[in-house]
């Protein structure tokens, strides 16, 4: 196994430092919020202290009382002493009046902590997911535009692969995007994994005894679910039995140390919306349209031209349409008349989403709606 796909010691230490700093920042934002209910403040501080404790060596983490008091002192007093805090050790998160300092806000921006997380007191897991997404896009956006589009397409088309073939595509940044499937026991049955027939990412195995459930996290609602027996002869792939209404036959694949899959954050924020984008692209191309994918390094996802009409599209595969609407509300579209396209199963939430972004300049459609609109435009142009 090429160690380049495994986290290096330096990368692991950087991640440890980033988590510790982020936990302190979130705790300071909570401690300095005068109107926050005390029970919510206590829960948030406990969560942050748990993350900070995990970053410390055994028996060196602060107690809760020391943690709260330390938010008003130099950051070095809270962080593990064996991590690099060059340039930030003297920084104070809360001033003498208990207010979040300007330097603390700057630190949050540098460590990719969203301002909304500080204002709305996001839970740790939400902040961590947002940071991971931003880091992925930071890596992608440093690439030249043609390379950016090529790699984006590959992460959509090849969410799993073997080490040798993947190194030819993204050798220099392989560990940024892929992980060994062998390290994911929750996606294996007796050392075999099962790619989703829709997105091709390894499906989750839900704990059981002799029989387990195997399902795609994103597509189980569409009927991509199976059962599987955990017993059986060694060296033979377990057999999946379809349970969902749309569960075709899927063959197990050996989860060797050479078998890689995109990291969950890449799958969630690149592969899944990319599938939506590419299906719109393919439909438009069949109609004779001109399509440009991810123009201007993903300023939006695709531009479709039919005759004199242009559709600028940003596909969104968020799990929560409400969270999407709140994220878009008050922002300005990256291009005039930008279309926000959501999966068809989110049609029941379409009016709510339109209400949330009303007046911002966006149009909101399902993928099916957009395809219908393109089909009609092509008929008129013919």
């Amino acid at each position: 196994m090429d160690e380049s796909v495994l986290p290096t010691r330096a990368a692991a230490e950087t991640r440890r430092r980033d988590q510790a700093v982020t936990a302190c920042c979130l705790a300071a934002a909570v401690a300095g919020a005068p109107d926050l209910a005390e029970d919510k403040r206590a829960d948030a501080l406990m969560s942050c202290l748990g993350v900070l404790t995990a970053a410390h060596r055994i028996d060196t983490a602060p107690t809760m009382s020391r943690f709260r008091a330390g938010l008003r002192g130099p950051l070095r007093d809270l962080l593990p002493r064996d991590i690099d805090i060059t340039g930030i050790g003297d920084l104070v998160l809360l001033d003498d009046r208990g207010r979040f300092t300007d330097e603390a806000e700057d630190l949050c921006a540098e460590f990719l902590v969203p301002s909304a997380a500080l204002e709305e007191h996001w839970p740790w897991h939400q902040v961590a997911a947002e940071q991971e997404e931003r880091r992925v896009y930071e890596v992608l956006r440093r690439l030249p535009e043609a390379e950016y589009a090529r790699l984006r397409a590959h992460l959509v088309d090849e969410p799993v692969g073997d080490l040798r073939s993947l190194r030819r595509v993204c050798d220099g940044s392989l560990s940024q995007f892929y992980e060994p499937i062998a390290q994911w026991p929750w996606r294996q049955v007796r050392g075999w994994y099962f790619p989703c027939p829709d997105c091709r990412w390894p499906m989750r195995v839900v704990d059981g005894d002799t029989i387990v459930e195997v399902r795609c996290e994103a597509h189980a609602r569409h009927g991509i679910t199976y059962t599987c027996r955990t017993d059986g002869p060694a060296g033979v792939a377990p057999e999946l039995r379809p349970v969902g209404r749309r569960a075709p036959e899927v063959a197990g694949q050996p989860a060797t140390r050479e078998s890689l899959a995109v990291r969950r954050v890449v799958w969630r924020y690149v592969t899944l919306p990319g599938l939506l984008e590419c299906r719109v692209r393919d439909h438009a191309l069949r109609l004779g349209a001109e399509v440009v994918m991810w123009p201007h390094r993903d300023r939006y996802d695709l531009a479709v031209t039919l005759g004199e009409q242009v559709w600028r599209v940003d596909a969104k595969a968020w799990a929560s349409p409400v969270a999407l609407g709140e994220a878009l509300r008050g922002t300005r579209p990256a291009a005039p008349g930008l279309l926000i396209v959501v999966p068809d199963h989110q049609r029941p939430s379409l009016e709510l989403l339109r209400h949330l972004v009303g007046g911002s300049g966006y149009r909101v459609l399902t993928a099916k709606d957009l395809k219908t609109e393109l089909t009609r435009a092509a008929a008129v142009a013919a």
Side-chain angles (χ1 to χ4, degrees):
M1 174 69 184
D2 188 329
E3 297 298 320
S4 66
V5 300
L6 297 173
T8 64
R9 181 176 178 81
E13 289 301 299
T14 298
R15 181 181 180 85
R16 180 168 156 251
R17 180 205 62 192
D18 291 355
Q19 288 183 338
V21 171
T22 300
C24 292
C25 288
L26 292 177
V30 167
D35 300 326
L36 189 64
E38 193 55 39
D39 59 337
K40 292 185 177 180
R41 191 192 317 277
D43 288 345
L45 287 172
M46 186 62 71
S47 173
C48 292
L49 179 56
V51 174
L52 182 61
T53 298
H56 275 265
R57 303 306 182 193
I58 296 175
D59 296 330
T60 63
T63 61
M64 176 58 80
S65 60
R66 185 179 141 216
F67 182 41
R68 296 187 72 151
L71 295 173
R72 295 174 181 260
L75 192 56
R76 65 163 53 85
D77 292 347
L78 291 176
L79 298 178
R81 298 200 178 277
D82 61 336
I83 64 172
D84 182 7
I85 56 171
T86 303
I88 63 173
D90 293 330
L91 190 145
V92 176
L93 299 175
L94 295 176
D95 63 19
D96 292 339
R97 298 174 62 184
R99 297 175 303 188
F100 209 55
T101 64
D102 292 340
E103 292 85 355
E105 290 193 15
D106 293 340
L107 182 69
C108 288
E110 292 168 7
F111 278 78
L112 305 179
V113 180
S115 58
L118 305 174
E119 297 164 2
E120 301 168 13
H121 313 299
W122 288 5
W124 167 261
H125 66 83
Q126 184 177 356
V127 177
E130 177 79 9
Q131 288 177 314
E132 285 296 303
E133 180 186 2
R134 291 189 180 195
R135 288 189 183 100
V136 167
Y137 279 100
E138 286 291 326
V139 173
L140 285 170
R141 285 170 179 149
R142 287 197 293 266
L143 299 172
E145 189 162 348
E147 179 66 10
Y148 173 93
R150 185 190 68 83
L151 185 53
R152 276 292 301 268
H154 181 82
L155 295 173
V156 175
D157 295 336
E158 302 292 339
V160 297
D162 66 87
L163 174 63
R164 183 174 300 178
S165 63
L166 291 173
R167 287 187 62 184
R168 292 195 292 266
V169 178
C170 54
D171 187 25
S173 55
L174 192 59
S175 64
Q176 299 278 356
F177 302 112
Y178 288 87
E179 293 180 359
I181 301 173
Q183 294 182 352
W184 299 349
W186 57 92
R187 299 190 183 277
Q188 300 173 42
V189 176
R190 293 192 288 108
W192 299 78
Y193 76 91
F194 305 92
C196 168
D198 199 336
C199 66
R200 300 183 298 283
W201 201 56
M203 292 189 282
R204 178 175 286 278
V205 176
V206 182
D207 287 342
D209 294 322
T210 307
I211 298 178
V212 294
E213 182 183 10
V214 180
R215 66 186 184 212
C216 176
E217 291 183 46
H219 300 107
R221 67 168 66 90
H222 307 313
I224 306 296
T225 58
Y226 304 81
T227 59
C228 178
R229 295 189 64 88
T230 58
D231 53 3
V236 177
E239 181 182 354
L240 288 190
R241 296 187 178 277
V243 173
R245 64 185 181 280
R246 193 169 66 84
E249 181 178 340
V250 172
Q253 303 294 323
T256 71
R257 288 178 61 83
E258 305 291 315
S259 304
L260 306 180
V262 293
R263 295 163 51 207
R264 191 183 191 285
V265 68
V266 177
W267 169 77
R268 185 68 188 81
Y269 297 108
V270 178
T271 304
L272 287 183
L275 290 172
L276 188 58
E277 296 154 8
C278 291
R279 286 164 185 166
V280 171
R281 173 201 64 192
D282 294 344
H283 180 81
L285 289 174
R286 285 193 294 269
L287 296 172
E290 296 180 11
V291 181
V292 177
M293 298 296 293
W294 307 298
H296 315 294
R297 287 192 190 87
D298 203 27
R299 185 178 171 195
Y300 47 90
D301 294 325
L302 64 161
V304 179
T305 304
L306 263 172
E308 297 183 357
Q309 288 186 267
V310 179
W311 290 259
R312 296 176 178 88
V313 179
D314 205 356
K316 301 292 186 183
W318 288 41
S320 169
V322 174
L324 172 60
E326 291 175 346
L328 292 173
R329 183 167 52 188
T331 65
R332 299 179 61 181
L338 186 67
L339 266 170
I340 301 298
V341 175
V342 299
D344 294 330
H345 72 265
Q346 292 182 345
R347 176 175 295 281
S349 302
L350 206 57
E351 288 308 313
L352 173 59
L353 184 53
R354 286 170 175 163
H355 173 74
L356 288 171
V357 302
S360 298
Y362 296 101
R363 270 209 307 147
V364 184
L365 298 174
T366 65
K368 184 177 180 180
D369 291 338
L370 175 57
K371 291 177 183 177
T372 299
E373 194 170 297
L374 293 172
T375 299
R376 290 172 178 166
V380 171

